[in-house]
Amino acid sequence: MEKQWAIETQELDIFYGDFRAVKHVNLQIEPKKITSIIGPSGCGKSTVLRAFNRMNDFIPSAHATGKVLFQGKNLYDLDVDPVLVRQRIGMVFQKPNPFLKSIFDNVAWGARINHYQGDIPELVETCLEKAALWDEVKDQLQKPALALSGGQQQRLCIARALAVTPDIILMDEPCSALDPIATLKIEDLMRELSNNYTIIIVTHNMQQAGRASDFTAYFTMDADRAGMMVEYGETSQVFTRPKNKSTEDYISGRFG
């Protein structure tokens, strides 16, 4: 029986106008695992991540060739609704971006606009529990979300993503604006969530990639291979026995 990947790319190229930012990416993401995407600034990490739920569509000059397969369907086929894609493949951004609403309404928002038929207060509680935030906010659900700390806001954004029942959660440097304690909370949360969700994270933090992820993909900025994925494997192998000198140089801090 053919293995079912959480998401798979086939010869994925991504362009900004005539500039090809990402080249020939063939990547198979394991379901219910954490995959880190690492590499120097400008190598295409976030561009690839945004391709997984068609967030690049918001950039007028961006377009993609090749395939991004999710449950056997190419997400770039003309009959695919990108709004529905983003329900199944949610995203948490680098900087926490809660809505100018209460804590409760931030989580409930997606369910309401999607005409959720269940018990919304129960859904909000469940998602906040999954995001390890319920005990901290259960008595102040009507408090403005912006009154929370940065780490709490990021966990609220994760709860908001969970409320539309995604299969995959994308995280674009979700801890870059957080202190070390909040960062470790997010990493613990990712590990817990990976029991039920596939998580793909872009990070510049090598320690975070080493601690938190099961698999790691390395993208390079080498002159002749810029924007290419040159290594992918289990994190323990990539970090301790990289097959590519460019990977070794980057992980060891010799460049990037």
Side-chain angles (χ1 to χ4, degrees), residues 101-152:
K101 299 176 182 289
S102 68
I103 294 168
F104 182 95
D105 286 339
N106 262 268
V107 182
W109 178 80
R112 285 172 174 154
I113 66 169
N114 288 302
H115 309 294
Y116 180 71
Q117 298 299 308
D119 185 318
I120 286 185
E122 181 180 340
L123 175 71
V124 169
E125 179 177 347
T126 299
C127 293
L128 288 170
E129 284 179 340
K130 287 181 178 178
L133 190 58
W134 173 252
D135 288 342
E136 297 170 42
V137 303
K138 61 185 178 182
D139 297 322
Q140 45 190 337
L141 294 178
Q142 298 309 314
K143 182 178 179 179
L146 292 178
L148 297 173
S149 70
Q152 289 174 321

Side-chain angles (χ1 to χ4, degrees), residues 230-255:
V230 297
E231 186 144 0
Y232 176 60
E234 293 188 8
T235 297
S236 57
Q237 174 264 307
V238 172
F239 273 73
T240 61
R241 302 180 307 280
K243 298 174 182 176
N244 192 287
K245 187 176 188 305
S246 177
T247 313
E248 183 178 0
D249 287 346
Y250 180 75
I251 288 173
S252 64
R254 284 196 280 271
F255 74 88

Side-chain angles (χ1 to χ4, degrees), residues 10-222:
Q10 295 178 355
E11 292 297 313
L12 176 65
D13 285 18
I14 306 172
F15 297 81
Y16 296 110
D18 294 330
F19 172 67
R20 185 166 59 168
V22 170
K23 304 172 185 174
H24 310 313
V25 178
N26 294 289
L27 178 60
Q28 297 168 324
I29 298 292
E30 292 276 351
K32 295 185 180 178
K33 299 290 183 183
I34 302 172
T35 298
S36 286
I37 302 176
I38 63 171
S41 296
C43 70
K45 303 184 299 295
S46 293
T47 295
V48 168
L49 192 75
R50 291 194 301 264
F52 292 156
N53 71 344
R54 294 190 51 174
M55 289 295 290
N56 290 324
D57 290 12
F58 293 109
I59 303 171
S61 65
H63 68 280
T65 62
K67 293 182 178 181
V68 177
L69 299 174
F70 172 66
Q71 297 184 348
K73 179 71 172 175
N74 180 18
L75 298 182
Y76 286 83
D77 282 349
L78 294 177
D79 62 343
V80 172
D81 183 347
V83 174
L84 297 180
V85 170
R86 294 177 200 123
Q87 289 178 18
R88 304 294 299 278
I89 305 174
M91 191 157 197
V92 176
F93 295 91
Q94 180 175 0
K95 184 179 179 181
N97 61 341
F99 301 142
L100 297 174
K101 299 176 182 289
S102 68
I103 294 168
F104 182 95
D105 286 339
N106 262 268
V107 182
W109 178 80
R112 285 172 174 154
I113 66 169
N114 288 302
H115 309 294
Y116 180 71
Q117 298 299 308
D119 185 318
I120 286 185
E122 181 180 340
L123 175 71
V124 169
E125 179 177 347
T126 299
C127 293
L128 288 170
E129 284 179 340
K130 287 181 178 178
L133 190 58
W134 173 252
D135 288 342
E136 297 170 42
V137 303
K138 61 185 178 182
D139 297 322
Q140 45 190 337
L141 294 178
Q142 298 309 314
K143 182 178 179 179
L146 292 178
L148 297 173
S149 70
Q152 289 174 321
Q153 287 184 25
Q154 195 65 302
R155 282 182 282 148
L156 178 64
C157 292
I158 292 171
R160 186 177 69 194
L162 295 175
V164 295
T165 60
D167 297 284
I168 298 173
I169 303 171
L170 311 176
M171 298 186 175
D172 192 358
E173 297 188 55
C175 303
S176 65
L178 305 181
D179 63 46
I181 293 174
T183 293
L184 288 174
K185 284 187 176 181
I186 296 291
E187 290 177 9
D188 289 342
L189 174 57
M190 287 193 297
R191 178 58 58 193
E192 181 67 27
L193 291 173
S194 69
N195 291 317
N196 296 296
Y197 305 90
T198 301
I199 296 176
I200 310 171
I201 176 173
V202 163
T203 181
H204 278 290
N205 186 324
M206 293 302 93
Q207 290 78 20
Q208 179 173 76
R211 285 191 303 260
S213 61
D214 302 293
F215 295 86
T216 296
Y218 171 69
F219 283 72
T220 187
M221 276 296 288
D222 291 353

